[in-house]
Amino acid sequence: MNYKNFPMVPRVIFGRGSFNQLEELLAPNRLNRNAPFIFLVDDVFKTDGALTSRIPKSYDDKLIFVSAEEEPKTSQVDALVEEIILTSKESPSGIIGIGGGSVLDLAKAVAIMLNNEGSAENYQGWDLVKNKAVYHVGIPTISGTGAEVSRTTVLTGPKRKLGINSDFTPFDQVVLDPELVNGVPKQQWFYTGMDCFIHSVESLNGTFLNAFSESYGEMAYGICKEIYLEGKLSKKDAQDKLMMASWHGGMSIAYSQVGVAHALSYGLSYLLGTKHGIGNCIVFNHLEEFYPKDVALFKKMVIEHNIELPKGVCADLSDEDFDIMIGIALGLEPLWENAIGSNWKKTITPKKLRELYLKM
Amino acid sequence: MNYKNFPMVPRVIFGRGSFNQLEELLAPNRLNRNAPFIFLVDDVFKTDGALTSRIPKSYDDKLIFVSAEEEPKTSQVDALVEEIILTSKESPSGIIGIGGGSVLDLAKAVAIMLNNEGSAENYQGWDLVKNKAVYHVGIPTISGTGAEVSRTTVLTGPKRKLGINSDFTPFDQVVLDPELVNGVPKQQWFYTGMDCFIHSVESLNGTFLNAFSESYGEMAYGICKEIYLEGKLSKKDAQDKLMMASWHGGMSIAYSQVGVAHALSYGLSYLLGTKHGIGNCIVFNHLEEFYPKDVALFKKMVIEHNIELPKGVCADLSDEDFDIMIGIALGLEPLWENAIGSNWKKTITPKKLRELYLKM
């Protein structure tokens, strides 16, 4: 047996208003005046002076708004890297991602690709990155994805939807400021929070589970139930706790893996561009067979929060479309092995997946 | 409000048998052949070939057995540093602590003092360390202290019992191998596990609590109850989980603090040399006034596991002795502020503490 030596985020600051300490966190990491900090910021904040005015830019630092409308793409990473190289006097002092999972993943990928040759698509997989990334900081503005703590950065490339999984991927610094989630719309709050719930369910019910992942998974699972089912917390407490649940849900996957929902959701997302959070929800709603107790809980949460899940998303797809989705999903072998066990290929067939997709 | 930017252990490996991967973990950190790895090992393992034969020594690497009979002292740190400097051709590549909280704390302190001038006693306090420590690795062989994850190294000096709290204190690498706790005697398993339980109680009931510390604290608290009260786990599962509880209990204090039990226990330990785990238990047993629900739970655990707590430990002390203990305890201001609030001096008087000590 060989165990993973898990890289953890080496610095974390937690607290309401901790975003205001960003300047003091960055200062010791500035290489020189010509080496800028690049702030990649979700473009929903374009008109939000309350956030952008507090971004501590100086010298040649740049603020680049990025769209999180679509799932992050390898081509988007390559374009950002090119833009940064062309417009900076020297290689950046650091990349700071401020946004949801998509922006955090872009920030991680850009930091890696600034120090590694070629296109991001060449690094989709496990441990393909050769050089240390540029110093990078993650500041989530919505809770649930676990991108702030994970050793992957999920990207859609020309050939696949797959993460850049590496020891160089995790952030060097994370700022957890629950005040930043204030403006999140309710639907998105639900879908992204469910990403965390589903992480914990898939980790806790997986064959890879150990005591490390279990303790983190249970913590995330418990908090999600407290927030989305019991509903007794104040708004502030719920924001604070969900930010921690997202963190713990991400930590839970360190020694474990996600499972059926993520595998199928990656297929949807690759073919249809479905965003990760909502994609997971569309899929998870039909997984009673795999996670009976937790799908029942999920359905209660959907009702409790008046969420209308999209229906019939696969109704008009061609055979070719199905083959593409199914190919993407079946390619994620570690996810199936975690969810079903080493003999997963006996039950998880293209026919089976097509039946599942047809329900959605 | 200014929040701490908490330094986390950047690398952790968890799993039964993961100790066998120590060689591959250390190899990339060897500076050169003349810069040895120094293994500080609890001397209970002196006759345990099963452990010592697996310590991957090469070149000039040294194994030094250290006694954990007494709480670690600043003089002990200074002596170890001198021994290492005198017997090594070059400054060490790394310090590897293998043992309980005392040995882990010694390893952290030695790694710091190899790169900082003067005596360890000069660094007891908060953020007094100037230079980065030598690379250091922590491998707990008993669970509960949280020393594997904390940013302190508690030492008894000529003037005080106080930690070297600094951003350079945490280990660079931790190996969590629950197989290593196999030989722990029952009494020690109880006392050290209760250190974790008391960490979580003091953190969860403190005024410094936030959602970060709360989520970790609840996880540690829940696991301790599961192990010490419910008793339904297999031996292996209990070992695995207690190792995680210790970790989470330590993380919980990151943004919080310990409280009344630790303050009083430090006094006992300074004067009488009482070991930390048992000292905490002796004290906690009489803290109904501060932690009523949890002291009741603790008393149940004591009965459940047939533990005979020492009694009358303060019976023969002189007034001068009491003054010393009380001075040490009252000097730990952040602990009292966490436990009672900013106006703690109104109720926590020398007279009050003497009454408490007299019960023990």
Side-chain angles (χ1 to χ4, degrees):
Chain A
M1 185 79 191
N2 206 54
Y3 300 97
K4 274 191 290 189
N5 188 20
F6 188 71
M8 300 217 296
V9 170
R11 286 283 186 152
V12 60
I13 184 165
F14 176 92
R16 302 187 79 83
S18 57
F19 185 75
N20 293 334
Q21 289 172 243
L22 187 54
E23 185 162 14
E24 70 186 77
L25 300 180
L26 295 181
N29 295 288
R30 185 182 292 280
L31 301 172
N32 66 60
R33 291 179 177 206
N34 292 329
F37 284 113
I38 311 289
F39 299 89
L40 299 182
V41 182
D42 191 318
D43 66 5
V44 296
F45 292 109
K46 220 166 189 169
T47 54
D48 180 357
L51 183 109
T52 52
S53 66
R54 292 191 293 150
I55 292 177
K57 279 201 301 168
S58 50
Y59 307 115
D60 289 341
D61 296 349
K62 277 187 208 64
L63 191 165
I64 303 177
F65 287 109
V66 290
S67 168
E69 269 296 299
E70 298 185 348
E71 289 284 283
K73 295 190 177 60
T74 54
S75 57
Q76 200 180 357
V77 174
D78 294 343
L80 279 166
V81 169
E82 195 179 346
E83 178 184 345
I84 291 166
I85 291 174
L86 289 176
T87 59
S88 304
K89 289 179 197 151
E90 288 188 20
S91 181
S93 292
I95 305 294
I96 298 100
I98 304 174
S102 295
V103 175
L104 297 183
D105 274 357
L106 280 171
K108 291 195 275 188
V110 166
I112 289 169
M113 293 312 301
L114 279 164
N115 278 352
N116 287 276
E117 285 188 357
S119 161
E121 69 173 286
N122 303 334
Y123 299 90
Q124 287 179 284
W126 279 270
D127 301 305
L128 303 171
V129 179
K130 290 195 180 60
N131 304 317
K132 198 172 178 304
V134 165
Y135 172 79
H136 51 304
V137 179
I139 309 180
T141 60
I142 184 169
S143 299
T145 68
E148 64 278 18
V149 78
S150 76
R151 86 186 273 283
T152 191
T153 162
V154 183
L155 299 172
T156 305
K159 297 197 196 96
R160 50 192 163 257
K161 181 172 179 186
L162 184 60
I164 300 180
N165 298 269
S166 89
D167 286 348
F168 303 120
T169 308
F171 288 110
D172 297 296
Q173 167 81 57
V174 166
V175 178
L176 298 176
D177 180 352
E179 273 181 13
L180 300 180
V181 309
N182 265 329
V184 173
K186 187 178 171 186
Q187 294 263 334
Q188 212 176 329
W189 164 80
F190 184 84
Y191 292 134
T192 311
M194 285 302 105
D195 193 16
C196 175
F197 179 69
I198 295 168
H199 284 156
S200 66
V201 168
E202 295 192 316
S203 172
L204 290 170
N205 291 281
T207 61
F208 293 177
L209 192 70
N210 66 9
F212 186 100
S213 285
E214 188 181 13
S215 63
Y216 281 104
E218 283 183 349
M219 189 153 45
Y221 184 81
I223 296 175
C224 287
K225 281 208 300 186
E226 200 179 358
I227 292 171
Y228 289 96
L229 269 183
E230 297 162 19
K232 287 180 190 154
L233 296 172
S234 71
K235 191 179 170 193
K236 278 189 181 179
D237 284 350
Q239 288 176 337
D240 289 6
K241 286 194 163 200
L242 190 57
M243 195 158 264
M244 288 313 301
S246 175
W247 177 268
H248 297 316
M251 285 299 298
S252 177
I253 301 170
Y255 272 101
S256 179
Q257 250 300 353
V258 284
V260 183
H262 275 74
L264 293 177
S265 158
Y266 273 32
L268 271 190
S269 175
Y270 181 83
L271 184 76
L272 306 172
T274 317
K275 288 281 291 177
H276 185 67
I278 193 170
N280 273 350
C281 287
I282 292 169
V283 173
F284 195 69
N285 199 35
H286 297 286
L287 299 186
E288 292 93 340
E289 180 183 347
F290 302 98
Y291 309 111
K293 174 172 68 81
D294 297 312
V295 172
L297 280 185
F298 171 78
K299 287 179 190 283
K300 271 194 198 170
M301 296 180 194
V302 169
I303 294 170
E304 178 69 31
H305 296 285
N306 293 312
I307 302 297
E308 285 256 358
L309 290 175
K311 281 178 190 155
V313 293
C314 299
D316 303 324
L317 300 182
S318 67
D319 284 351
E320 206 187 351
D321 288 339
F322 275 109
D323 288 347
I324 291 171
M325 279 204 306
I326 291 166
I328 291 285
L330 284 178
L332 296 159
E333 302 208 352
L335 281 63
W336 293 108
E337 201 182 325
N338 178 48
I340 316 285
S342 54
N343 58 351
W344 63 272
K345 286 182 184 166
K346 282 188 189 159
T347 49
I348 304 301
T349 58
K351 181 163 167 283
K352 174 78 190 172
L353 295 200
R354 182 160 178 153
E355 284 165 19
L356 283 167
Y357 275 127
L358 274 170
K359 289 187 189 172
M360 295 171 195
Chain B
M1 184 81 190
N2 206 52
Y3 300 97
K4 274 191 290 187
N5 188 21
F6 189 71
M8 301 216 296
V9 171
R11 285 282 187 154
V12 60
I13 184 166
F14 176 92
R16 302 187 80 83
S18 57
F19 185 75
N20 293 334
Q21 289 172 244
L22 186 54
E23 185 162 14
E24 69 186 79
L25 300 180
L26 295 180
N29 296 287
R30 186 182 291 279
L31 302 171
N32 66 61
R33 291 178 178 206
N34 292 329
F37 284 113
I38 311 289
F39 298 88
L40 299 181
V41 182
D42 190 319
D43 66 6
V44 297
F45 292 108
K46 220 165 188 169
T47 53
D48 179 357
L51 183 109
T52 53
S53 66
R54 292 191 292 150
I55 291 177
K57 277 200 302 166
S58 50
Y59 307 115
D60 290 340
D61 296 348
K62 276 187 209 66
L63 191 165
I64 302 177
F65 286 109
V66 291
S67 166
E69 270 296 300
E70 297 185 349
E71 290 284 283
K73 295 189 176 60
T74 54
S75 56
Q76 200 179 359
V77 174
D78 294 343
L80 279 166
V81 169
E82 195 178 347
E83 177 184 347
I84 291 167
I85 291 174
L86 290 175
T87 59
S88 304
K89 289 180 196 151
E90 288 188 21
S91 181
S93 293
I95 305 295
I96 298 100
I98 304 174
S102 295
V103 175
L104 297 184
D105 274 357
L106 280 172
K108 292 195 274 188
V110 166
I112 289 169
M113 293 312 301
L114 279 164
N115 278 353
N116 287 276
E117 285 189 355
S119 162
E121 68 173 287
N122 303 334
Y123 299 90
Q124 287 180 283
W126 280 270
D127 301 306
L128 303 171
V129 180
K130 291 195 179 59
N131 305 316
K132 198 171 178 304
V134 165
Y135 171 78
H136 51 304
V137 178
I139 309 181
T141 60
I142 183 168
S143 299
T145 68
E148 65 278 19
V149 77
S150 76
R151 87 185 274 283
T152 190
T153 163
V154 183
L155 299 172
T156 304
K159 297 196 195 99
R160 50 192 163 256
K161 182 172 178 185
L162 185 61
I164 301 180
N165 297 269
S166 88
D167 286 348
F168 303 120
T169 308
F171 287 110
D172 297 296
Q173 167 81 56
V174 166
V175 178
L176 298 176
D177 180 352
E179 273 180 14
L180 300 180
V181 308
N182 264 330
V184 173
K186 188 179 170 187
Q187 294 262 335
Q188 211 176 332
W189 165 80
F190 185 84
Y191 292 134
T192 312
M194 285 302 105
D195 193 16
C196 175
F197 179 69
I198 295 169
H199 282 157
S200 66
V201 169
E202 295 193 316
S203 172
L204 290 170
N205 292 282
T207 61
F208 293 178
L209 192 69
N210 66 9
F212 187 100
S213 285
E214 189 183 11
S215 64
Y216 282 104
E218 283 183 349
M219 188 152 47
Y221 183 81
I223 295 175
C224 287
K225 281 208 301 186
E226 199 179 358
I227 291 171
Y228 289 96
L229 269 183
E230 298 163 19
K232 287 180 190 154
L233 297 171
S234 71
K235 191 180 170 192
K236 278 190 182 180
D237 284 350
Q239 288 175 338
D240 289 6
K241 285 194 163 200
L242 190 57
M243 196 158 262
M244 289 313 301
S246 175
W247 177 268
H248 297 316
M251 285 300 298
S252 177
I253 301 169
Y255 271 101
S256 180
Q257 250 301 354
V258 283
V260 182
H262 275 75
L264 294 177
S265 158
Y266 274 31
L268 271 190
S269 176
Y270 182 83
L271 184 76
L272 306 172
T274 318
K275 289 279 291 176
H276 184 67
I278 192 169
N280 273 350
C281 287
I282 292 170
V283 173
F284 196 69
N285 198 35
H286 298 286
L287 298 186
E288 293 94 340
E289 179 183 348
F290 302 98
Y291 310 111
K293 174 172 68 80
D294 297 312
V295 172
L297 281 185
F298 171 78
K299 286 179 190 283
K300 270 193 199 170
M301 296 179 192
V302 169
I303 293 169
E304 178 69 31
H305 297 285
N306 294 312
I307 302 297
E308 284 256 358
L309 290 175
K311 280 178 192 156
V313 293
C314 300
D316 302 323
L317 299 182
S318 67
D319 283 352
E320 206 185 353
D321 287 339
F322 275 109
D323 288 347
I324 292 171
M325 280 203 306
I326 291 166
I328 291 286
L330 284 178
L332 295 159
E333 302 208 352
L335 281 63
W336 293 108
E337 200 182 326
N338 178 48
I340 316 284
S342 54
N343 57 352
W344 63 272
K345 287 181 183 166
K346 282 189 188 160
T347 49
I348 303 302
T349 58
K351 180 164 168 282
K352 175 77 189 170
L353 294 200
R354 182 160 178 153
E355 284 164 19
L356 283 167
Y357 275 127
L358 274 171
K359 288 186 189 172
M360 295 171 195

